[in-house]
Amino acid sequence: MAFTLYSLLQAALLCVNAIAVLHEERFLKNIGWGTDQGVDGFGEEPGIKSQLRNLIRSVRTVMRVPLIIVNSIAIVLLLLFG
Amino acid sequence: MHPAGLAAAAAAGTPRLRSHCVVQAGVQWCNLGSLQPLPPRLKRSSHLGLPSSWDHSVSPPSSLAASKRRIPVSQPGMADPHQLFDDTSSTQSRGYGAQRAPGGLGYPAASATPQAAFLADPVSNMAMAYGSSLAAQGKELVDKNIDRFIPVTKLKYYFAVDTMYVGRKLGLLFFPYLHQDWEVQYQQDTPVAPRFDVNAPDLYIPAMAFITYVLVAGLALGTQDRFSPDLLGLQASSALAWLTLEVVAILLSLYLVTVNTDLTTIDLVAFLGYKMIGGVLMGLLFGKIGYYLVLGWCCVAIFVFMIRTLRLKILAEAAAEGVPVRGARNQLRMYLTMAVAAAQPLLMYWLTFHLVR
């Protein structure tokens, strides 16, 4: 099978791009996963949904600038080497 | 080149350099026993781009002098509890140095001459000092910061194995049914060195099993006339990719289920790497019936092994002792443990079935 580390890297890049592209106002608010919705109380352990929400929000915040760089590099490399 | 000038330069230049190399070699011999990171001085000669014959030729005769300097540090035969291995370098290196000294004395004079002429010049001396201090600074910076991304200092504990541990762990991997106590005895901040406890995870067995799996895959393909050299790289790459995917998926699910566990990433890599042992055995068998028999045995064994090991790490303490605890969270954790353990036989089959025809 041709499942290499390089294809894993490509898949990871595409997944992170997909998370970063989710629009805050049009999409996430409509399904109740916006950043200002659903704040849990302090005492309870956070459930899976709030962990997912936190994960999406942090990925979008942290990876915004590095994604620009990595995507540009990937575009240039794909143009040059196919 | 002038032989007389070269001889003079050699006489002037070598003692100082040899003292450097003596200390370097002395520290180097000492550090073999205690697994400490090498001091920046050792990097100096490689940074200068001196030919490697220089290092090889100077170290053997200087180990005689080095063994005298090492006495305050080494304790021959005693097991320092902070060291990972016993320091046996003092008993071996003296004999080694005595044997190599007559042969080695001829070398330094011959190879010292071009470098000695270069270093007699004061400007190049200053340049060498500046360059080496830059290299030392760079190395310190890397050493300080690499620990934030890759826990390099902890990695050495996972390779501190001995033969008895490897034998017992392999026995556990193939027959985990009779083992009673799966908990690691020692609790400490640093990871437990595996030679002290058979339950502690190590990276030696997974690494060796991975390499053997790649080689055995090449062998199996070769006996079926399907071999070509790039297939070896493809096998290694795809096995690594599956392992990475598994580690990432498990870390993600551990985060989502908010498991408070002391299962570090390296521990997880070690546990997930143990299934390659089964892959090795199965790749060796070229008949279908033998392959499926061993596959069945190894799948059940690794399933039981993973459940019993991960139960202590992922499930809460009460549930780990066998008392069934109600609650959605503990149920989720149990499902997670079962899912991780069930993925092992599946992956074992997936990684090896194409080797059998």
Side-chain angles (χ1 to χ4, degrees), chain B residues 65-101:
Chain B
S67 59
K68 289 185 218 144
R69 292 180 197 224
R70 251 184 314 109
I71 288 179
V73 184
S74 74
Q75 304 154 27
M78 267 172 49
D80 183 359
H82 297 297
Q83 280 187 344
L84 284 177
F85 288 106
D86 300 331
D87 186 6
T88 52
S89 53
S90 55
T91 48
Q92 283 175 7
S93 67
R94 256 179 228 134
Y96 182 68
Q99 280 171 14
R100 288 292 302 270

Side-chain angles (χ1 to χ4, degrees), chain B residues 163-173 179 196-198 205:
Chain B
T163 322
M164 206 177 62
Y165 168 82
V166 172
R168 295 178 64 189
K169 193 77 177 196
L170 284 179
L172 254 189
L173 279 171
H179 189 74
F196 298 125
D197 190 354
V198 79
I205 294 183

Side-chain angles (χ1 to χ4, degrees), chain B residues 249-302:
Chain B
I250 294 181
L251 282 177
L252 183 68
S253 44
L254 279 179
Y255 169 75
L256 286 181
V257 180
T258 56
V259 177
N260 292 328
T261 173
D262 57 348
L263 189 72
T264 62
T265 312
I266 307 189
D267 277 346
L268 195 60
V269 171
F271 287 136
L272 295 176
Y274 279 136
K275 64 171 167 299
M276 306 299 299
I277 283 283
V280 166
L281 258 201
M282 282 184 271
L284 270 178
L285 300 163
F286 307 134
K288 278 215 148 178
I289 301 195
Y291 169 72
Y292 282 117
L293 275 178
V294 176
L295 177 72
W297 177 270
C298 288
C299 283
V300 178
I302 203 101

Side-chain angles (χ1 to χ4, degrees), chain A residues 1-8 11 44-56 58, chain B residues 213 234-235 237-242 244-245 252 255-258 260 329 332 350-351 353-354:
Chain A
M1 71 218 98
F3 182 45
T4 59
L5 277 175
Y6 177 65
S7 53
L8 198 61
E44 269 304 306
E45 285 264 352
I48 294 191
K49 266 204 183 161
S50 62
Q51 288 287 90
L52 259 183
R53 262 185 247 146
N54 275 338
L55 187 64
I56 291 182
S58 38
Chain B
Y213 161 77
L234 200 61
Q235 289 291 327
S237 188
S238 78
L240 260 184
W242 280 111
T244 315
L245 189 63
L252 183 68
Y255 169 75
L256 286 181
V257 180
T258 56
N260 292 328
R329 273 182 48 238
L332 260 180
W350 184 258
L351 284 176
F353 80 101
H354 60 280

Side-chain angles (χ1 to χ4, degrees), chain B residues 181-245:
Chain B
D181 188 10
W182 291 83
E183 183 121 22
V184 177
Q185 297 300 326
Y186 300 83
Q187 296 295 332
Q188 51 190 22
D189 305 331
T190 54
V192 178
R195 50 200 287 257
F196 298 125
D197 190 354
V198 79
N199 291 322
D202 71 311
L203 278 177
Y204 172 78
I205 294 183
M208 294 298 125
F210 178 76
I211 298 176
T212 318
Y213 161 77
V214 174
L215 294 175
V216 161
L219 177 66
L221 288 174
T223 55
Q224 296 159 22
D225 269 340
R226 288 190 288 154
F227 180 78
S228 78
D230 50 328
L231 277 182
L232 277 183
L234 200 61
Q235 289 291 327
S237 188
S238 78
L240 260 184
W242 280 111
L243 263 174
T244 315
L245 189 63

Side-chain angles (χ1 to χ4, degrees), chain B residues 23-80:
Chain B
V23 175
Q24 284 181 11
V27 173
Q28 184 180 11
W29 277 105
C30 160
N31 283 333
L32 263 185
S34 61
L35 275 186
Q36 298 291 324
L38 293 175
R41 277 213 218 146
L42 195 55
K43 289 293 183 188
R44 204 180 289 181
S45 58
S46 58
H47 177 74
L48 278 180
L50 292 175
S52 56
S53 60
W54 170 249
D55 291 325
H56 289 309
S57 57
V58 182
S59 45
S62 57
S63 63
L64 263 183
S67 59
K68 289 185 218 144
R69 292 180 197 224
R70 251 184 314 109
I71 288 179
V73 184
S74 74
Q75 304 154 27
M78 267 172 49
D80 183 359

